[in-house]
Amino acid sequence: MNTNVLAARRGLTRGGIELRQTFTNAQDLWAYLFPAVLLLVVMTFLRGASVPGTDFSLGAMVLPSVLGMNVAFGGLVNAAQQLTVEREDGTLLRAKAVPGGMLGYLVGKVVGVSGMVLASVLLVLVPGLFLFDGLVTTSVGGWLTLGWVLLLGLAATMPIGAVFGSLSANPRNLGLVVLPIMGLIAISGIFYPVTNFPEWLQGLAQVFPIYWLGLGMRSALLPGGLAAAEIGESWRHLETVGVLGVWAALGLIVAPIVLRRMARREAGSSVAARREKALRRIS
Amino acid sequence: MSVSELSVPARGARPGPDVVLDVRGLRMRYGQVDVLDRVDFQAYRGEVLALLGPNGAGKTTTIEILEGFRMRSAGAVEVLGVDPARGAEAWRARLGVVLQSWRDHGKWRVRELLRHLGSYYTPYSTESTPRPWDVDELIAAVGLTEHADKKLSRLSGGQRRRLDVAIGIVGRPELLFLDEPTAGFDPHARREFHDLVHRLSDLDETTILLTTHDLDEAEKLADRILILAGGSIIADGSADALSRRMSTEAEVRWTRDGERFVHSTSDATTFVRELFAQHGAAISDLEVRRASLEDTYMALVREFESGRGDAAARSFEVVSR
C-alpha cells in the first residue's frame, strides 16, 4: 500500500488516541465544561427577552449562534494553540524524525481538533434542546444543514488557525489571536441580531467566518419565519457557502506553504532554544 | 595543507558499501561566520563514533545537517548513500534520531507512544531488518518495563531520557544519532545505557554517532573519536591512538620500603625497567597510568586554541579503524 495512505491512517489513530486522552483528563474536561455551562447560563438569562420585532425568545436564537461561534473559535484557537505549544515542546520535531510522521501528525491534528470542536458543540446543543422552546428539531433538512455548516466551518477556520500557530513562536502570543476573535464575536451577531448594528459594522462582520457560521446554524435550528430578522431577510445559504468556501480555499492554499516552511526550520537546537526561553519565563 | 585534509582516512577515497557516513568539505556559514569550515570524516558500518569538542564548536550543527534537519552552505555529504538535504521518507526510516525531550506527549503512556511511533516504520520492514522493534522487548531493553503504562509527564528525567533512546531506535535504524545521550543520568542508568549501545553496535551492526561532554563515556563507547574545534576536525582516531600520539606524560606510582612514590615521565616503559633494575623486588604496588582521553583532549584543545592547531593536528597520524 502507498506509504502516504498508511501514514495518514496512523494519523487517524493518533487523532483518536489524543481525543481519548483529552476526554479522560480532568483538566481538559473542565476546559470543555466550564465555557459550555457559562454560555448556557447566559442564554438562560436571555430566555425572557425576545428577538427585536418578534416574540421569539432571544435565548433560543442565541443557542444556534453560539454553536457557530464554538466552531469558529474552536477551529481557529485550538489549531493555533496546539501548533505553537507542540512546536515549542518538540512534538513536531519528533514527528519530523519519523518516516511519514509529519503527514500523520497533521491528519491527527485535523481529527483531534475536529473532535474537540464537535464536543464543544454537543455540550451546548444537547442541554440547550431541553432548556429552550421553539427550536426546530424534527426537520431532516435542518440537521443536514447543521452538518454541512459544521464541516465547512472547520475547513474555513482550522487551516487559518494553523497558519497563526506556525507564525507565532511563543505560546504567549496566542492572546494576539484570541483578542481579535473576541472582538469579531461581539460584532458578528452571536448574542444580539446584527441587523441592529450600524451598516459599516455589519459589512465588517460579513467579511469573517464567524457571522456566517452563526447564520448557518440559525438557519438549521430556527423556524423559517425568523429569517426575517436577518440581513436581506433570508438565510442566504449561497452566500454562506461562498464566504466560508473562500476562507477555506485561502487557508488550504496558504497553510501548506507556511506549515512546510515552519517544519523545515524545526531542528533540535531550535527546540532547545525555545525550551531555554520558556524555562526563563517560568523561573 | 589544511588541518582537515590531514584527518581524512586514506582508505576513504571513495565511499564503498561499508561507508555509512561520508562528509567532505562540509561548510556551514551564518552571515559572515563559518561555524563549520571544511569538515571531513567518514564512518563505517557498525562503528561507534564520538564527536567531541568545546561548546559552540559546531557539534550539534554537524549532527543536524547529517539528520537532514538543517541545510548546509557547502560541501558533499552522504548519509547511507543519500544527500540528507534530499532524503525521502524511506531514507528517514533507516535513521534513528535521539532527541532531547522536554514535555512533549505528556499525556501519552510509554507503551502507547512507542507503539504509535513504531507503527510508522512497518512499511519499511525488510526480511533482514524487521521494523519496528517489538515494543515490549524494546521497553525491557531500556529498563522501563515497570513504567510501561505510566504517562510521560510522570517519568523522572532519567526515565524520560531512556524513553528518548527507545524512540530513537524503535525503527531499528542502521545509523543512530545521539546528541548528549546521557546528560542527567545517574551512574547506574549510565552503565545500562552503555550496555545498550554496545548491544546495538555489536549485534545489530548499528552505526552510531554520538556527542558527549563526558570523555570517560567517549572512551568507553567509541571505536573512534573525532574532535571538533574551531569549526573543523582537529583529531580523528581511537582514544588509545590519540593518547599515544599526544606527547602527554604517563604517571608511574610505586611503593618501596613502605614509602609511596610518584613520577611523571613520557617514557614509562624505560623508566619502569630502570626502576626494577635498580631496586628489584623492593618495588611493590606498581601502577602506570597513561594520559587519559581527558588529558589528551585538554592538551589538544589548548594547543589548538593557542593558535597551534595545525601543528597539533599534524602530530596525529590518522588511525583508521
Side-chain angles (χ1 to χ4, degrees):
Chain A
M1 198 188 291
N2 184 311
T3 49
N4 280 337
V5 176
L6 266 168
R9 281 184 22 196
R10 308 288 182 248
L12 293 180
T13 314
R14 182 180 181 88
I17 291 173
E18 291 198 324
L19 276 177
R20 197 196 64 223
Q21 287 165 349
T22 179
F23 295 139
T24 53
N25 170 309
Q27 200 187 341
D28 287 7
L29 281 177
W30 175 243
Y32 288 112
L33 281 173
F34 179 71
V37 171
L38 203 69
L39 286 166
L40 286 167
V41 169
V42 170
M43 283 179 244
T44 313
F45 278 119
L46 291 173
R47 197 156 51 169
S50 54
V51 179
T54 70
D55 54 7
F56 195 78
S57 154
L58 187 59
M61 190 217 80
V62 166
L63 178 91
S65 310
V66 159
L67 299 183
M69 174 190 83
N70 277 356
V71 174
F73 193 81
L76 272 163
V77 175
N78 282 330
Q81 182 186 14
Q82 296 204 5
L83 264 180
T84 5
V85 168
E86 299 193 342
R87 195 146 60 101
E88 186 186 52
D89 71 18
T91 307
L92 218 72
L93 183 59
R94 242 188 235 300
K96 201 179 157 183
V98 166
M102 268 305 195
L103 180 61
Y105 174 83
L106 279 181
V107 172
K109 274 300 109 169
V110 170
V111 172
V113 172
S114 303
M116 287 174 188
V117 168
L118 192 65
S120 71
V121 165
L122 288 177
L123 279 173
V124 174
L125 177 62
V126 173
L129 290 178
F130 293 99
L131 286 173
F132 303 101
D133 300 322
L135 296 170
V136 181
T137 56
T138 49
S139 140
V140 176
W143 290 111
L144 283 179
T145 305
L146 190 140
W148 68 253
V149 171
L150 178 72
L151 287 179
L152 194 55
L154 287 170
T157 53
M158 270 196 294
I160 300 287
V163 169
F164 281 122
S166 332
L167 291 178
S168 122
N170 179 342
R172 279 187 160 186
N173 294 345
L174 221 72
L176 298 178
V177 180
V178 174
L179 279 178
I181 296 177
M182 293 291 190
L184 282 178
I185 289 170
I187 65 163
S188 290
I190 299 299
F191 293 100
Y192 203 71
V194 77
T195 38
N196 290 292
F197 294 152
E199 272 194 21
W200 65 267
L201 210 57
Q202 293 183 27
L204 184 66
Q206 289 177 72
V207 174
F208 297 99
I210 300 176
Y211 166 77
W212 297 98
L213 277 165
L215 178 68
M217 290 295 184
R218 288 196 292 278
S219 81
L221 291 170
L222 296 183
L226 275 174
E230 302 291 344
I231 298 172
E233 298 182 12
S234 144
W235 293 126
R236 296 197 290 169
H237 277 169
L238 217 59
E239 290 90 331
T240 306
V241 173
V243 176
L244 292 179
V246 167
W247 276 99
L250 196 73
L252 290 171
I253 292 168
V254 178
I257 300 170
V258 177
L259 283 172
R260 208 168 288 139
R261 198 187 62 135
M262 171 205 66
R264 212 174 32 234
R265 292 186 172 178
E266 277 316 283
S269 46
S270 41
V271 172
R274 280 196 293 271
R275 171 187 174 170
E276 287 294 308
K277 233 167 140 183
L279 288 175
R280 270 207 301 278
R281 280 207 301 270
I282 294 163
S283 57
Chain B
M1 200 190 272
S2 86
V3 177
S4 41
E5 271 161 349
L6 274 164
S7 353
V8 179
R11 79 209 280 304
R14 183 180 295 164
D18 269 5
V19 176
V20 173
L21 269 177
D22 190 22
V23 179
R24 284 158 200 276
L26 171 62
R27 177 180 292 223
M28 186 70 196
R29 169 170 287 226
Y30 291 116
Q32 294 295 306
V33 186
D34 278 329
V35 180
L36 298 174
D37 183 19
R38 282 169 301 169
V39 170
D40 293 87
F41 67 91
Q42 274 76 32
Y44 304 91
R45 182 163 312 283
E47 206 176 17
V48 179
L49 243 69
L51 186 59
L52 309 180
N55 282 333
K59 300 187 296 289
T60 298
T61 305
T62 306
I63 286 212
E64 288 184 352
I65 289 170
L66 300 179
E67 289 166 345
F69 289 164
R70 202 172 273 281
M71 294 296 149
R72 61 184 184 272
S73 308
V77 177
E78 280 198 1
V79 176
L80 296 166
V82 173
D83 180 344
R86 281 191 287 275
E89 301 298 305
W91 169 76
R92 179 143 307 283
R94 299 163 63 202
L95 288 189
V97 175
V98 173
L99 298 164
Q100 308 246 13
S101 75
W102 176 25
R103 53 180 186 196
D104 63 293
H105 291 98
K107 289 178 194 159
W108 289 66
R109 292 171 199 279
V110 170
R111 184 183 285 116
E112 181 177 58
L113 182 61
L114 278 172
R115 181 165 294 140
H116 173 69
L117 292 176
S119 72
Y120 286 87
Y121 291 89
T122 45
Y124 305 98
S125 184
T126 61
E127 195 94 341
S128 55
T129 319
R131 295 185 164 106
W133 264 40
D134 178 82
V135 169
D136 288 310
E137 218 178 278
L138 179 60
I139 290 173
V142 295
L144 286 177
T145 305
E146 286 166 58
H147 310 287
D149 292 314
K150 258 197 198 168
K151 284 187 181 172
L152 265 63
S153 55
R154 298 190 169 273
L155 296 181
S156 74
Q159 290 163 353
R160 196 143 185 174
R161 199 78 194 104
R162 277 184 271 163
L163 176 65
D164 289 337
V165 174
I167 293 173
I169 61 179
V170 69
R172 276 194 193 273
E174 290 161 49
L175 170 63
L176 178 63
F177 294 105
L178 295 162
D179 201 355
E180 293 185 28
T182 55
F185 273 29
D186 63 32
H188 179 69
R190 188 176 301 251
R191 170 65 66 86
E192 286 190 336
F193 172 77
H194 291 173
D195 290 345
L196 178 65
V197 168
H198 284 306
R199 255 183 67 191
L200 286 173
S201 73
D202 294 347
L203 300 182
D204 288 357
E205 282 231 300
T206 311
T207 311
I208 298 174
L209 177 63
L210 62 96
T211 70
T212 180
H213 280 297
D214 181 343
L215 296 158
D216 228 32
E217 177 167 284
E219 197 164 5
K220 273 190 195 127
L221 290 180
D223 300 314
R224 198 144 57 81
I225 286 169
L226 304 169
I227 300 180
L228 188 64
S232 44
I233 305 281
I234 60 164
D236 178 345
S238 71
D240 205 40
L242 292 194
S243 56
R244 266 180 220 283
R245 273 172 180 70
M246 196 68 195
S247 53
T248 39
E249 299 201 317
E251 209 173 62
V252 183
R253 292 159 185 264
W254 69 94
T255 306
R256 180 166 56 88
D257 303 334
E259 212 179 323
R260 193 82 179 135
F261 294 89
V262 181
H263 179 79
S264 286
T265 169
S266 53
D267 187 359
T269 315
T270 310
F271 179 80
V272 171
R273 193 185 300 121
E274 282 166 5
L275 194 67
F276 277 107
Q278 204 176 336
H279 301 288
I283 304 291
S284 62
D285 290 337
L286 179 78
E287 251 180 83
V288 180
R289 195 180 144 270
R290 218 184 39 231
S292 66
L293 178 62
E294 185 172 324
D295 300 327
T296 314
Y297 171 84
M298 289 305 185
L300 252 168
V301 172
R302 209 178 304 120
E303 237 185 85
F304 175 82
E305 280 173 353
S306 65
R308 290 184 288 135
D310 271 34
R314 232 170 251 134
S315 73
F316 282 88
E317 273 162 48
V318 170
V319 190
S320 40
R321 283 213 275 194

